[in-house]
Amino acid sequence: MADKYTVRVTGKNVDIAVGEDQSVLDGALRANQWLPHSCTQGTCGTCKLKVLCGQVDHRDSPEYTLTSEERDSGLVLACRVTPRSDLVVEPLGAVDDRVPHHPLRDHEGTVVVLDDIAAATRRLVVALDEEMHFNAGQYAELLIPGTALARQYSMANPPSEARLLEFHIKLTEGGAATEGWIFRSLAVGDRISLRGPLGQFHLVDKVEGPVILIGGGTGLAPLKSIVQHALAEDLAPELYVYHGGRREVDLYDVEFFRELDARHEHVHYRPVLSEQDWGGATGMVTDAVVADFASCKGMSAYLCGPPAMVTAAVKALKRRRMSPRLIFKEEFTVAPPLPDADAAAS
């Protein structure tokens, strides 16, 4: 049995047991002790901690996320680092975001839906053996069979559907998870392993002002979860949903959102295409938002998609006077290259 060490996080009054082959973040989340994190694959740096006491193994922490100077100063990536002794660590961000969280757990399930829904995009629905409780907007890690790899995909279903998880998955050329598995051999009826929930992108509490949700490609997935949850719990007075794609074949769930738009006076759906003239909005999705609102003061926003789109959306919303503290974002980053030079997953 692997050794376990005690990790004390400053700001928390508990000791967390973490195995020698387990990341500090994994140990904390399984103990339902929340720590700031986002990508869980070492690419974003959100989970950085400072080691105040003890020895660690940085494992495969990327140099571009955690420089040698940062390592020398005691900084680590909680999602990568494993303990080599008892530790005392200090998060760089707050350890209590005043949001109810759910412990990280391992799950098994059966594939019940695997459909092509847009260009090189599939809807995967997994019926879990046991419920996974999560906050609207969070994600899970799917474990790639026959490997030690896991890849992250946001839940598109609302938290009320805790046994039936929906994922939207875009094909990545050479991707270990997509080209190598989900688009190659995965089939309805297959068993699948995953773990979750993860991430700090979510809508939990009631908000006073209108909410703008901007998704690029499969960045629509967590927004779909958030919209359904917000409607069920009456969390927002207005919901403006923007979905950006290059061409019409890139859009999906159009009828689903149009039906919500027609049924709910406070839901407004607008798909936007950047490379095709059609009957709807054209140009960059962020340009459509700027054109629709003279001011976004008092509003909040949820942004999800490629980093370039998220960055452009943040700038556009700030120009329209939205408070930066009310802009929440989830960037879809590419997984780090594999040691054997196989391509990264989605």
Side-chain angles (χ1 to χ4, degrees):
M1 181 179 295
D3 290 336
K4 282 188 175 289
Y5 298 103
T6 297
V7 177
R8 171 153 291 194
V9 182
T10 59
K12 292 181 177 286
N13 295 318
V14 296
D15 290 331
I16 301 165
V18 181
E20 63 178 355
D21 296 323
Q22 181 182 25
S23 75
V24 169
L25 179 65
D26 187 88
L29 297 181
R30 289 182 186 277
N32 205 20
Q33 297 297 319
W34 187 82
L35 291 177
H37 68 283
S38 183
C39 75
T40 68
Q41 58 186 9
T43 59
C44 73
T46 304
C47 66
K48 285 181 182 178
L49 304 170
K50 185 175 182 63
V51 177
L52 304 179
C53 180
Q55 302 298 316
V56 300
D57 184 342
H58 288 282
R59 296 289 180 111
D60 55 351
S61 300
E63 174 73 21
Y64 60 83
T65 308
L66 189 73
T67 66
S68 57
E69 291 80 7
E70 288 178 314
R71 296 173 199 229
D72 291 343
S73 70
L75 293 185
V76 301
L77 296 177
C79 71
R80 301 286 93 188
V81 71
T82 56
R84 285 296 170 264
S85 71
D86 293 342
L87 302 175
V88 178
V89 299
E90 179 182 27
L92 301 190
V95 295
D96 182 6
D97 61 357
R98 301 185 183 278
V99 171
H101 289 283
H102 309 282
L104 176 65
R105 294 287 184 266
D106 298 316
H107 291 270
E108 302 287 330
T110 302
V111 176
V112 294
V113 175
L114 188 61
D115 292 337
D116 293 322
I117 55 174
T121 305
R122 288 187 172 177
R123 186 192 321 277
L124 168 63
V125 180
V126 180
L128 298 181
D129 297 345
E130 298 179 348
E131 292 183 342
M132 177 192 292
H133 298 286
F134 64 94
N135 294 329
Q138 288 191 290
Y139 67 87
E141 290 186 332
L142 275 59
L143 309 186
I144 306 174
T147 76
L149 302 176
R151 293 296 181 255
Q152 300 75 26
Y153 300 101
S154 299
M155 277 76 77
N157 56 289
S160 58
E161 299 174 4
R163 286 282 294 271
L164 204 62
L165 303 188
E166 175 184 344
F167 304 98
H168 303 162
I169 300 175
K170 179 77 172 180
L171 176 65
T172 298
E173 184 177 354
T178 56
E179 188 173 78
W181 174 41
I182 296 170
F183 283 77
R184 180 182 181 182
S185 60
L186 187 65
V188 171
D190 284 359
R191 296 287 291 171
I192 193 170
S193 299
L194 60 155
R195 54 181 174 241
L198 291 156
Q200 57 190 51
F201 183 71
H202 45 61
L203 176 59
V204 175
D205 298 321
K206 191 177 184 69
V207 297
E208 294 183 1
V211 177
I212 298 174
L213 305 103
I214 308 174
T218 54
L220 184 66
L223 306 186
K224 183 178 179 181
S225 176
I226 288 172
V227 167
Q228 292 177 89
H229 183 61
L231 287 174
E233 300 297 326
D234 190 24
L235 297 182
E238 299 282 339
L239 295 163
Y240 295 89
V241 183
Y242 291 82
H243 186 204
R246 294 180 178 179
R247 306 183 64 80
E248 199 165 358
V249 293
D250 297 318
L251 299 177
Y252 63 90
D253 282 349
V254 174
E255 291 308 314
F256 174 85
F257 282 101
R258 283 178 174 165
E259 196 270 336
L260 288 184
D261 188 315
R263 185 153 45 95
H264 301 278
E265 290 185 356
H266 64 300
V267 175
H268 315 278
Y269 167 64
R270 192 169 190 192
V272 184
L273 299 181
S274 62
E275 297 181 4
Q276 177 185 335
D277 289 329
W278 67 316
T282 58
M284 303 304 294
V285 65
T286 49
D287 294 336
V289 176
V290 169
D292 285 350
F293 296 95
S295 173
C296 294
K297 187 176 182 180
M299 299 181 178
S300 58
Y302 287 80
L303 320 174
C304 188
M309 186 225 78
V310 171
T311 298
V314 170
K315 292 179 179 179
L317 293 169
K318 286 181 178 179
R319 288 203 306 271
R320 286 294 186 259
R321 302 182 65 196
M322 183 177 290
S323 170
R325 68 179 180 82
L326 297 179
I327 301 175
F328 307 96
K329 56 187 186 292
E330 181 89 301
E331 295 183 356
F332 282 174
T333 56
V334 176
L338 302 178
D340 61 359
D342 287 343
S346 57

